Amino acid sequence: MEVLTTQSFADRVRTVSNTCRMQISKIVDEADVSTQPCAERLDGDHLVAWTRDTRSMSFWCLLSKKESSKLEKYDLNEFPLAGFSKSDMLGIGVPEQLISSVYELKKLEDLDSVNLSESVRHRLRFVFLQRFYGLIFGREQLVRRAYNVEHFNRYLHGNITELLLHLDETQQRIVDLDGDGTIIVKGVAGSGKTAVALHRIVKILEQRSLFTPPRILFITYNRSLVSYAGELLHALGIKASELTISTLHALCLKKMENKIKIISDSEKREMLLQARVQVQKKNHNSSILAYPETFWQDEIHLIKGRGVERLERYLKLSRFGAGRALDRESRKLVWRVFVEYQEQCAANQMMDWDDVVWSAYKELMRGKQEGDNLELFDFVFIDEAQDLTPMGLRLVNQLAQPGGSLFVAYDRSQSIYEKVGFKWKDCGIRLHGSRSYDLACNYRNTSQIIQAAYPLLITTDGEKNIDDNEMDVSQPVFSSRRGEEPILLDCDTGKEIEVLCQNITDMIKSELIPPQNIAVLCYPNKVRELVAQEMTERSILYQKHTGKDRIHLLDPSVKVLPIKSAKGLEFPIVYLLASGFWYRPHLGLEEDDRKTYVDNMQRVFYMAMTRAMTRLVLVYDRKDPVDFIHHLLD
Amino acid sequence: MGNNIIKRIREEILLALDAERRTVKKKLGALGEMLDVVLLRGKKLVSEPGVYVYSFYCDLELHLDEGLEILIETPGFSSSGEILEHDTDSGDIFLVLRDDVGRHPNEAVMRFDSTFLLDLLKKKIETITNLALGQTDVLTSFDVAGENISLALRLLQGDAEAGRPVLIERSGLSEAQKKSIEFALGQTVAYLWGPPGTGKTRTVAHLVHELAKRSEHVMLCAHTNTATDNALLQTLDVADWSEGSIVRVGYCSEKVQRRGVDLDFLVDRKIHRTYPDITYRINLLGQKLKSLQVDFPGSGSMGDIPIGRRLRIILEIMKGVEDKDTTDLRRELSWLKQIIESLEIELLSNARVVATTLTRLYTSRLVGKIMCDTMVIDEAGIASLTVSMVAGCKAKKRVVAVGDFMQLPAIVQSDDSHARNWLGKSVFESANCHHPEKEHALRTMLYEQWRMHPGISKIVSSIFYANKLKNAPLVVKTAIKKHAVLILDTSHTNARSQLMRTGSKINKIHCEIVSKIISMAVDEEIAVIAPYRAQVRNLREVIRVGSSEAIKQGSLEVFTVHRFQGRDKQTVILDLVEAPGTKCGFLDEIKNPAAEKLINVAMSRAKQKLILIANLDYLSFSLGRDALINRVMAQARMSGATEVDAGSDEGLRDCRAFMRGEL
């Protein structure tokens, strides 16, 4: 293997002890191909940092204890096991009288000095490893985009703010733009749209003076992204109280103040059915009424999402890309069902999310007209804008102060829920004079991972993508980062979870991977429970996320997430369970619905695969791999 | 200093005050300007003519500020006065009234203008900025004394040139305290950072004396009457002060009154010397009032009351006789008023030290007319930017902000960003010297603590004070040689938390546990702290049954964190409440930026023993293992804390041993 060193590094190596030098040569010899920047403590005084790929390896710096004090804060002073409660310790099997000596362990070797039974020591060693490497890499994980010596050096010397999420030139330009006007950032997955938005927020807030800081609203797609953004901003030194981070729905609910009953999925289905029955009773028999459930849900979502208030407008509405064509008479019928459905909802005093957004918009406009004292924002950021309806975008646009600045980041190809065409002017966002940027470089994934995932995107969108659609699918430029091929782990039927957990254990032990770098994306929900159960038995530190509660990215533990909650997040290592069994549509579904279901699932699976930054592991039943990965199996 | 900056500051502060005003009104649900609140179970605590102190029970979630002017009516009586203290935890409200309203008024109606103080503050800001912008008119210039806005802005921005310390000779101070005083003497703007138990008040007292010794006029202001009195009493003890060299403006405690520094008292003495016939003239006034058939306390009962106060009573009475011909009376009164006012101003401008609350700086016209050389703002961490600005304007030479930004912040009701900035932040934050780990050129720290057991201070210091807080040798020596911290893990009980309608939370099992622990205690002073008001009320209910005697004697107190700021107790029981059933938003430092400060204050109240009641499983699950509260737990374990399972008999046995100091 070729070794590259910086001059300062080479100079330093001459000054260190023989043992340290031996350790460095050992690092060179190891066959690890992780392209992540790594750091290791050689002895009490020295720390070495390096990166490598398959062909070459470069050393970045060798630091003495004094210089690495920034890192020390996160490891040397920590007692990796002190974070566990006494009952945790008893659970692992540590005898009560030894617990306090276990707390005081700082080094793995010291574990041998505590008089523990072999099996307990074995478990504890594993827990210790996860914890210790979790602590060391806790902050480093945030520097994962470090790509050269200078970059990493700056991090080690303390300028963490600049480096948390690295920006390339284009991204930096967007961050530095003047405050006024709309900025539209169109980017492929992993191109750092969120990073740009967060940096821009930090920049705006950093210019604060004695005066009141600017009012900032950051709208993102789901709750895990809300907490992700919060956590990153916290690490960047921004307090949660300094801006509003929210999903659009939560914001609307808050604005409305009074209690609203949100319709549940089953209630919605029931009411739609009722509405259709009512229309049918009034002698409007038509084959459309027998269209599948999903058609109706989508169509009503479309009407509300576009803010269509009258039949005439609906008749003229462009339904490009919506799947089925509808003639004039059919549309009239659809409108009747829609009206019927709305009446049903109103009678039961219920609203669906689209209604909530719509009425929040109406309320806001009313307030504006009557000159109410509204809390508007100087800067509005919309991340993952592709997942908002035009009505949602219109609302967010109105939340900006007159003369305020709007920042829209979107990626059409990742859209899970939206299928219908889109026009900016529908949302009241004027493109005139706005600045639009295209982030075409994927920094998140290695080219191997993109190549593995890309075919899924094409087969879904290939037939639906229409050229004159304003929000076109950004063609991902393949990443310049190279890495390993996705790992395919086949196993016997029913053994997927066992194999998966075994693999995680091995990886942590042999490669010293910090557990928080690993995410297991689960579908359906019961799989998540099974994974969690297995991990408990194997002493893997994990955190189970339900999609509702906060996700602690920096917490040293493996993240076990529902697949949809992973949207917008990224992890160095991602495990996906890929047995066909879990992804099959219900038998009861009709042919059309089945197709929609599979198409949707494929999109989701694409999204899940591209969460992986350096390593993707697919675990599947060798007799029944999911269709989405067939192209990888040959 | 550019006029544009001043204009912008004025604009923003006025927006902030308006937003706060709206919120206060909304929260109180007030329709008109004045508001009626029903008070219950009244009790007369102090009864001196002209000064009647009452306590009432008042079920109002909104906190009413000290100094707020009120009118009160009980069956058959009425009086004006002001709020002395309002404790929203217990519902106790203390009022100082000008008239007697009966011994045990069971029910009373309190009328007040909820935004009275905000309006005065607004007026003050307008006056100050007008003055700075050269837009004064006759009316406004009457209330100011050449306010120094440029110094105030330096205080807010923390951008003064750092000066060299001035060395002093002084006994009775520790090295850290002496150095801090020396540092402050050398600056025009200084931030004196005093973590818990570091002798902040003592340092302030010596600093004030040192300044006075250098013939400076000093103003000493604190957030509350109690804090002002405490600082003043320590200052009085530092040296022998001649009469009139220290003056206290506003209502003060009896202890302070006894030291003869009360402005009313001083005016009284002086007036008798200058105008020997004054008593006669006042009595004459009283008789004239009587002849108008107005009920007026006889000369006998008025004998001890300072003239100033007596005059205020008469003025109050005059309001009720506006329909009658009182021209003579009024002429006489205005003459008296002028005399007293000129005497007051004379006394204040001759005094070396003037002590008052920060509120008085903008409510009292008298205080508005004087300036000082050095302004010492005590507890500046809890004073808002706006109020600190008013204070900063009062100084000609120097401002010293004393406080701890890691303790409780100023209370702001509104969510508006202007309000949060100007009413919710302190000068430490605006001057950007509120990072424990970062040094600031104008900040000095009292780094030695005298309160906490080393086992407790180690946790506090490493988590909240970047390891900068050290133990004084005395603390190490006198520490009881046992464990100081006990973690009671309730993960294995069925403890659940419930959300109340008000947004507050309770946890019944934790209540029972607290009550059990208290029953194990052997006479010592205990503070029970919970972060939620509902839980505090619940705890009081449960505890009252078992230990009502201790509560009455004040050796056992149950409150939220806010009530304990600035105080300490032998033993502190901190109930974290959070358990399955609700989300823990309160302890989440990312969602609740104040979490750090509240936990710090709660823990650092303890002198010898600290008991943490927490559902550890739930905390690490819902907040992450590296969240603030879990780092506290880890640090506690490393500092030798004992951890017991609250669900087991063994755990309770250990707990008993701990309470008896046998563990």
Side-chain angles (χ1 to χ4, degrees):
Chain A
M1 181 184 290
E2 191 190 346
V3 179
L4 307 166
T5 56
T6 58
Q7 192 52 46
S8 67
F9 176 79
D11 291 345
R12 289 265 178 112
V13 172
R14 287 189 207 108
T15 66
V16 298
S17 69
N18 274 338
T19 28
C20 286
R21 254 180 267 177
M22 274 168 65
Q23 272 173 284
I24 294 171
S25 52
K26 216 174 124 202
I27 290 169
V28 178
D29 292 341
E30 273 170 14
D32 184 356
V33 286
S34 161
T35 51
Q36 281 233 109
C38 300
E40 192 165 297
R41 195 164 298 287
L42 297 176
D43 54 24
D45 287 334
H46 293 91
L47 179 128
V48 62
W50 74 93
T51 184
R52 69 171 102 210
D53 57 33
T54 41
R55 284 159 290 103
S56 65
M57 147 161 221
S58 55
F59 281 95
W60 291 347
C61 43
L62 179 70
L63 295 160
S64 70
K65 191 173 181 178
K66 204 172 135 208
E67 288 165 306
S68 63
S69 60
K70 194 77 198 170
L71 276 183
E72 244 166 70
K73 212 176 144 193
Y74 299 108
D75 51 22
L76 273 193
N77 290 332
E78 299 269 357
F79 295 85
L81 296 176
F84 292 87
S85 76
K86 194 168 159 187
S87 65
D88 285 340
M89 283 292 162
L90 292 171
I92 292 170
V94 183
E96 195 166 346
Q97 65 274 18
L98 293 178
I99 289 177
S100 58
S101 29
V102 168
Y103 282 150
E104 282 164 22
L105 293 178
K106 272 192 170 182
K107 279 186 282 177
L108 193 55
E109 302 89 84
D110 298 343
L111 192 60
D112 299 331
S113 65
V114 185
N115 184 20
L116 294 160
S117 75
E118 197 42 54
S119 66
V120 171
R121 182 171 307 161
H122 203 69
R123 291 187 76 180
L124 209 55
R125 184 175 290 139
F126 185 54
V127 172
F128 184 95
L129 265 185
Q130 295 176 67
R131 190 63 195 163
F132 189 58
Y133 285 92
L135 288 170
I136 285 191
F137 288 91
R139 299 284 144 162
E140 221 151 293
Q141 193 202 351
L142 289 170
V143 210
R144 55 208 161 196
R145 288 209 180 93
Y147 65 102
N148 66 17
V149 184
E150 188 207 2
H151 192 193
F152 195 77
N153 268 337
R154 270 184 294 172
Y155 160 64
L156 287 168
H157 291 292
N159 197 348
I160 196 165
T161 332
E162 202 180 317
L163 296 157
L164 264 171
L165 296 155
H166 172 69
L167 302 175
D168 70 11
E169 251 172 61
T170 325
Q171 292 170 327
Q172 190 61 48
R173 249 202 352 260
I174 305 173
V175 169
D176 291 340
L177 286 171
D178 293 339
D180 303 333
T182 304
I183 299 170
I184 292 176
V185 177
K186 176 168 65 175
V188 295
S191 56
K193 298 179 298 280
T194 309
V196 169
L198 293 178
H199 273 283
R200 208 172 146 72
I201 289 173
V202 171
K203 195 178 154 79
I204 290 166
L205 283 174
E206 263 178 3
Q207 289 166 346
R208 76 193 123 187
S209 57
L210 185 54
F211 301 107
T212 304
R215 276 169 288 199
I216 300 176
L217 172 68
F218 185 88
I219 290 278
T220 188
Y221 162 75
N222 62 18
R223 281 189 250 200
S224 42
L225 282 169
V226 167
S227 63
Y228 174 70
E231 208 157 320
L232 286 181
L233 285 170
H234 188 72
L236 286 166
I238 302 293
K239 285 185 181 158
S241 58
E242 293 179 83
L243 74 160
T244 312
I245 310 175
S246 172
T247 64
L248 184 65
H249 292 163
L251 192 78
C252 289
L253 271 192
K254 206 178 142 203
K255 289 257 173 234
M256 294 183 138
E257 281 176 6
N258 50 351
K259 283 183 187 124
I260 298 163
K261 188 162 186 321
I262 301 293
I263 197 164
S264 75
D265 278 356
S266 59
E267 284 167 337
K268 189 173 185 174
R269 233 172 281 143
E270 175 64 22
M271 282 195 192
L272 255 175
L273 189 67
Q274 284 298 324
R276 279 147 68 194
V277 170
Q278 288 299 326
V279 172
Q280 200 165 23
K281 271 185 192 162
K282 289 171 192 161
N283 288 324
H284 296 293
N285 216 341
S286 160
S287 60
I288 296 181
L289 290 175
Y291 273 7
E293 195 66 51
T294 45
F295 164 80
W296 289 101
Q297 296 213 1
D298 288 350
E299 204 59 23
I300 285 179
H301 179 57
L302 173 85
I303 292 172
K304 290 186 193 171
R306 295 275 186 96
V308 179
E309 275 176 319
R310 290 187 318 276
L311 174 62
E312 296 80 60
R313 258 207 68 201
Y314 177 61
L315 291 176
K316 285 181 199 149
L317 192 70
S318 154
R319 291 178 67 259
F320 250 169
R324 287 164 214 264
L326 288 178
D327 60 24
R328 205 177 153 80
E329 283 314 303
S330 314
R331 287 201 190 197
K332 281 183 181 168
L333 200 66
V334 172
W335 188 259
R336 279 201 194 101
V337 174
F338 167 69
V339 172
E340 190 68 40
Y341 169 74
Q342 285 303 90
E343 277 170 8
Q344 293 254 354
C345 286
N348 287 297
Q349 294 180 326
M350 286 185 187
M351 275 186 165
D352 62 22
W353 283 115
D354 290 323
D355 288 328
V356 170
V357 172
W358 196 346
S359 60
Y361 175 75
K362 281 188 202 154
E363 177 63 24
L364 183 72
M365 295 314 283
R366 187 198 57 76
K368 278 197 170 181
Q369 254 175 13
E370 290 172 16
D372 284 3
N373 208 324
L374 297 163
E375 183 156 2
L376 299 175
F377 297 89
D378 302 318
F379 294 88
V380 176
F381 289 80
I382 314 167
D383 198 9
E384 310 282 349
Q386 72 276 4
D387 291 315
L388 294 183
T389 58
M391 186 39 95
L393 281 169
R394 222 186 280 181
L395 170 64
V396 180
N397 185 37
Q398 287 295 336
L399 282 170
Q401 197 83 265
S405 165
L406 191 67
F407 180 105
V408 185
Y410 74 94
D411 175 2
R412 175 74 164 86
S413 63
Q414 273 191 67
S415 172
I416 293 183
Y417 297 113
E418 295 295 324
K419 284 178 275 177
V420 182
F422 170 87
K423 290 220 165 42
W424 287 110
K425 65 172 190 235
D426 287 355
C427 322
I429 296 174
R430 277 186 304 166
L431 288 177
H432 181 70
S434 73
R435 290 160 287 185
S436 178
Y437 296 85
D438 211 332
L439 298 178
C441 190
N442 178 328
Y443 289 97
R444 180 195 290 148
N445 313 110
T446 59
S447 55
Q448 280 81 356
I449 290 169
I450 300 177
Q451 269 164 17
Y454 199 59
L456 271 71
L457 190 61
I458 292 171
T459 43
T460 322
D461 263 5
E463 51 200 54
K464 285 178 184 169
N465 185 24
I466 291 154
D467 279 336
D468 64 0
N469 201 335
E470 264 188 77
M471 258 195 184
D472 58 330
V473 172
S474 314
Q475 291 289 319
V477 172
F478 281 7
S479 165
S480 54
R481 267 178 64 215
R482 298 190 58 76
E484 56 194 351
E485 293 294 335
I487 298 172
L488 299 164
L489 277 181
D490 57 349
C491 60
D492 294 337
T493 310
K495 297 279 181 202
E496 294 93 338
I497 291 167
E498 228 171 279
V499 168
L500 177 134
C501 290
Q502 185 57 45
N503 195 265
I504 291 176
T505 313
D506 293 345
M507 192 185 296
I508 291 171
K509 276 186 182 166
S510 60
E511 300 180 41
L512 305 179
I513 306 274
Q516 70 264 37
N517 284 6
I518 304 172
V520 181
L521 306 183
C522 306
Y523 186 85
N525 283 346
K526 68 166 191 274
V527 173
R528 199 177 67 223
E529 300 305 323
L530 295 173
V531 170
Q533 209 178 334
E534 183 73 20
M535 286 192 168
T536 313
E537 277 169 28
R538 289 169 182 266
S539 299
I540 298 174
L541 303 180
Y542 68 92
Q543 198 151 44
K544 197 172 65 181
H545 185 61
T546 59
K548 282 177 186 163
D549 39 56
R550 225 185 90 194
I551 176 165
H552 309 282
L553 296 169
L554 298 183
D555 186 55
S557 54
V558 175
K559 304 292 176 288
V560 183
L561 310 171
I563 208 163
K564 286 189 185 180
S565 301
K567 195 171 152 50
L569 304 177
E570 48 193 1
F571 300 92
I573 300 169
V574 166
Y575 280 83
L576 260 175
L577 288 157
S579 292
F581 169 70
W582 287 306
Y583 299 93
R584 230 154 256 151
H586 306 290
L587 288 174
L589 284 184
E590 287 171 40
E591 189 52 38
D592 274 349
D593 285 353
R594 286 176 76 87
K595 193 178 168 312
T596 321
Y597 180 89
V598 172
D599 277 353
N600 270 339
M601 217 54 236
Q602 188 166 332
R603 247 172 216 276
V604 170
F605 207 82
Y606 165 81
M607 182 276 287
M609 284 170 83
T610 53
R611 297 309 95 198
M613 295 161 70
T614 51
R615 185 182 294 178
L616 174 66
V617 187
L618 298 160
V619 189
Y620 60 94
D621 180 351
R622 71 171 66 90
K623 290 189 194 118
D624 178 26
V626 71
D627 293 342
F628 313 142
I629 62 166
H630 271 182
H631 63 284
L632 297 173
L633 297 178
D634 307 331
Chain B
M1 204 59 65
N3 278 1
N4 283 339
I5 292 187
I6 297 171
K7 273 184 197 155
R8 179 143 177 224
I9 286 183
R10 173 164 69 178
E11 193 184 311
E12 289 207 351
I13 295 184
L14 297 187
L15 281 172
L17 290 168
D18 282 346
E20 182 73 356
R21 200 174 192 278
R22 277 197 304 276
T23 312
V24 169
K25 284 226 178 283
K26 199 167 151 197
K27 283 200 177 173
L28 286 166
L31 295 169
E33 288 292 299
M34 297 292 275
L35 196 76
D36 289 352
V37 171
V38 176
L39 306 179
L40 299 168
R41 302 199 291 272
K43 220 164 99 188
K44 184 152 68 178
L45 304 175
V46 173
S47 172
E48 279 176 47
V51 180
Y52 299 89
V53 178
Y54 280 85
S55 79
F56 281 95
Y57 174 76
C58 162
D59 191 15
L60 194 66
E61 286 284 330
L62 189 82
H63 181 262
L64 300 176
D65 289 322
E66 283 188 22
L68 184 63
E69 290 216 24
I70 51 141
L71 284 170
I72 193 158
E73 276 174 35
T74 59
F77 301 98
S78 77
S79 170
S80 63
E82 62 181 65
I83 291 175
L84 259 186
E85 200 178 334
H86 179 214
D87 175 10
T88 39
D89 295 348
S90 57
D92 290 335
I93 187 163
F94 297 92
L95 310 171
V96 54
L97 303 177
R98 303 203 171 97
D99 283 317
D100 198 339
V101 291
R103 249 175 89 196
H104 288 290
N106 242 333
E107 200 180 304
V109 176
M110 179 170 75
R111 304 200 83 197
F112 63 93
D113 179 356
S114 56
T115 54
F116 170 77
L117 289 178
L118 287 172
D119 293 342
L120 281 177
L121 188 55
K122 181 177 172 183
K123 212 174 129 203
K124 192 77 187 178
I125 291 293
E126 279 171 345
T127 322
I128 292 173
T129 47
N130 275 343
L131 185 78
L133 294 169
Q135 300 170 346
T136 47
D137 50 51
V138 185
L139 274 176
T140 53
S141 63
F142 193 61
D143 283 335
V144 286
E147 258 70 357
N148 185 358
I149 199 162
S150 71
L151 186 61
L153 290 183
R154 276 172 204 281
L155 170 74
L156 297 198
Q157 290 171 309
D159 71 342
E161 203 129 306
R164 297 166 72 94
V166 177
L167 300 184
I168 51 164
E169 283 302 318
R170 202 159 250 285
S171 59
L173 285 174
S174 75
E175 192 59 29
Q177 292 167 340
K178 187 161 160 273
K179 275 206 175 128
S180 294
I181 294 176
E182 289 173 342
F183 176 85
L185 289 174
Q187 316 301 324
T188 48
V189 172
Y191 304 94
L192 211 163
W193 180 25
T198 49
K200 213 172 2 191
T201 315
R202 190 183 174 75
T203 313
V204 165
H206 280 269
L207 172 67
V208 168
H209 180 241
E210 190 63 39
L211 287 165
K213 225 171 73 183
R214 287 157 194 267
S215 333
E216 285 198 21
H217 290 279
V218 187
M219 216 171 208
L220 172 60
C221 295
H223 187 65
T224 59
N225 274 313
T226 325
T228 311
D229 283 351
N230 285 342
L232 189 63
L233 284 169
Q234 292 240 18
T235 310
L236 284 161
D237 290 340
V238 167
D240 286 331
W241 298 82
S242 60
E243 187 182 304
S245 55
I246 296 190
V247 179
R248 168 74 161 96
V249 184
Y251 177 82
C252 52
S253 68
E254 207 201 325
K255 268 187 197 163
V256 175
Q257 279 181 23
R258 254 189 265 138
R259 309 292 286 261
V261 291
D262 189 0
L263 178 65
D264 285 344
F265 166 84
L266 290 167
V267 167
D268 208 36
R269 294 193 60 166
K270 194 137 190 179
I271 209 166
H272 283 294
R273 259 181 262 147
T274 336
Y275 305 92
D277 63 337
I278 195 84
T279 321
Y280 170 73
R281 294 182 75 151
I282 290 241
N283 283 344
L284 209 64
L285 254 176
Q287 276 168 23
K288 280 187 190 159
L289 271 173
K290 261 188 188 158
S291 70
L292 289 168
Q293 283 159 351
V294 175
D295 183 29
F296 183 75
S299 57
S301 64
M302 289 280 268
D304 301 335
I305 315 174
I307 298 282
R309 208 177 283 160
R310 241 191 277 184
L311 192 72
R312 279 200 289 273
I313 297 171
I314 293 172
L315 282 170
E316 199 65 37
I317 291 164
M318 291 291 289
K319 280 183 193 158
V321 292
E322 270 163 7
D323 50 329
K324 290 176 181 146
D325 179 24
T326 52
T327 327
D328 286 357
L329 259 175
R330 286 184 193 281
R331 199 177 300 131
E332 177 82 4
L333 264 175
S334 79
W335 176 79
L336 267 171
K337 230 172 95 182
Q338 266 178 30
I339 288 178
I340 290 175
E341 223 176 87
S342 65
L343 276 176
E344 282 175 339
I345 289 182
E346 194 189 324
L347 273 163
L348 288 183
S349 30
N350 288 338
R352 294 270 135 241
V353 182
V354 175
T356 188
T357 55
L358 284 165
T359 315
R360 290 246 167 223
L361 292 180
Y362 56 89
T363 57
S364 154
R365 283 182 69 183
L366 181 67
V367 179
K369 283 181 191 163
I370 55 162
M371 288 286 288
C372 61
D373 295 317
T374 295
M375 166 63 78
V376 179
I377 309 173
D378 196 6
E379 293 194 359
I382 205 169
S384 73
L385 269 190
T386 310
V387 171
S388 294
M389 182 171 138
V390 173
C393 284
K394 285 266 150 224
K396 289 189 220 154
K397 272 162 80 176
R398 184 188 297 116
V399 194
V400 185
V402 188
D404 182 7
F405 43 81
M406 292 307 290
Q407 293 184 47
L408 301 180
I411 299 171
V412 56
Q413 313 275 353
S414 170
D415 274 339
D416 178 86
S417 54
H418 292 295
R420 282 202 311 239
N421 190 45
W422 289 98
L423 302 171
K425 267 196 212 159
S426 74
V427 283
F428 293 107
E429 278 154 309
S430 71
N432 207 16
C433 69
H434 63 297
H435 305 286
E437 68 286 352
K438 276 191 228 154
E439 294 298 333
H440 189 280
L442 301 175
R443 187 182 81 190
T444 172
M445 180 192 181
L446 296 168
Y447 53 81
E448 217 173 30
Q449 70 90 14
W450 307 72
R451 177 191 295 163
M452 292 169 273
H453 187 287
I456 301 168
S457 75
K458 196 177 165 198
I459 310 171
V460 170
S461 176
S462 76
I463 304 277
F464 305 107
Y465 293 96
N467 278 317
K468 286 183 175 171
L469 189 59
K470 311 283 180 232
N471 295 320
L474 190 71
V475 181
V476 183
K477 222 190 282 171
T478 56
I480 47 169
K481 285 202 182 82
K482 305 276 176 184
H483 297 280
V485 182
L486 180 77
I487 302 172
L488 259 182
D489 182 5
T490 59
S491 310
H492 302 295
T493 63
N494 296 325
R496 290 187 68 79
S497 60
Q498 282 169 270
L499 197 63
M500 309 305 281
R501 209 166 34 82
T502 51
S504 199
K505 277 185 206 173
I506 60 164
N507 182 333
K508 286 181 181 159
I509 303 256
H510 280 204
C511 276
E512 282 170 30
I513 292 171
V514 171
S515 150
K516 258 185 219 162
I517 299 172
I518 287 169
S519 67
M520 295 170 185
V522 273
D523 47 68
E524 55 190 331
E525 30 163 46
I526 299 178
V528 180
I529 304 178
Y532 295 101
R533 232 172 248 168
Q535 177 76 350
V536 164
R537 286 187 196 138
N538 214 340
L539 279 166
R540 284 160 167 259
E541 282 308 309
V542 176
I543 294 168
R544 192 166 284 146
V545 180
S547 343
S548 57
E549 202 51 39
I551 289 186
K552 233 180 248 165
Q553 286 165 3
S555 64
L556 174 61
E557 290 185 85
V558 189
F559 289 112
T560 54
V561 185
H562 290 266
R563 185 62 191 270
F564 284 108
Q565 168 117 358
R567 303 170 57 205
D568 52 27
K569 285 268 176 184
Q570 207 67 22
T571 300
V572 167
I573 302 173
L574 174 57
D575 174 6
L576 291 174
V577 184
E578 306 293 0
T582 55
K583 283 185 192 167
C584 38
F586 171 78
L587 293 172
D588 187 344
E589 70 271 25
I590 291 181
K591 284 201 176 137
N592 175 15
E596 207 178 5
K597 298 179 178 193
L598 293 161
I599 297 170
N600 176 29
V601 174
M603 290 179 58
S604 57
R605 299 308 99 195
K607 283 200 265 191
Q608 292 295 346
K609 284 180 205 159
L610 174 65
I611 298 169
L612 300 164
I613 302 175
N615 189 323
L616 296 177
D617 277 2
Y618 184 68
L619 289 181
S620 72
F621 163 75
S622 61
L623 294 172
R625 288 184 186 83
D626 283 354
L628 173 74
I629 191 68
N630 293 321
R631 276 187 282 130
V632 167
M633 295 298 170
Q635 191 59 49
R637 288 182 196 112
M638 293 318 301
S639 319
T642 319
E643 190 170 331
V644 303
D645 179 2
S648 72
D649 292 341
E650 264 170 67
L652 289 174
R653 203 185 54 220
D654 287 348
C655 194
R656 190 184 303 269
F658 177 85
M659 288 309 282
R660 294 188 173 159
E662 291 160 2
L663 197 70

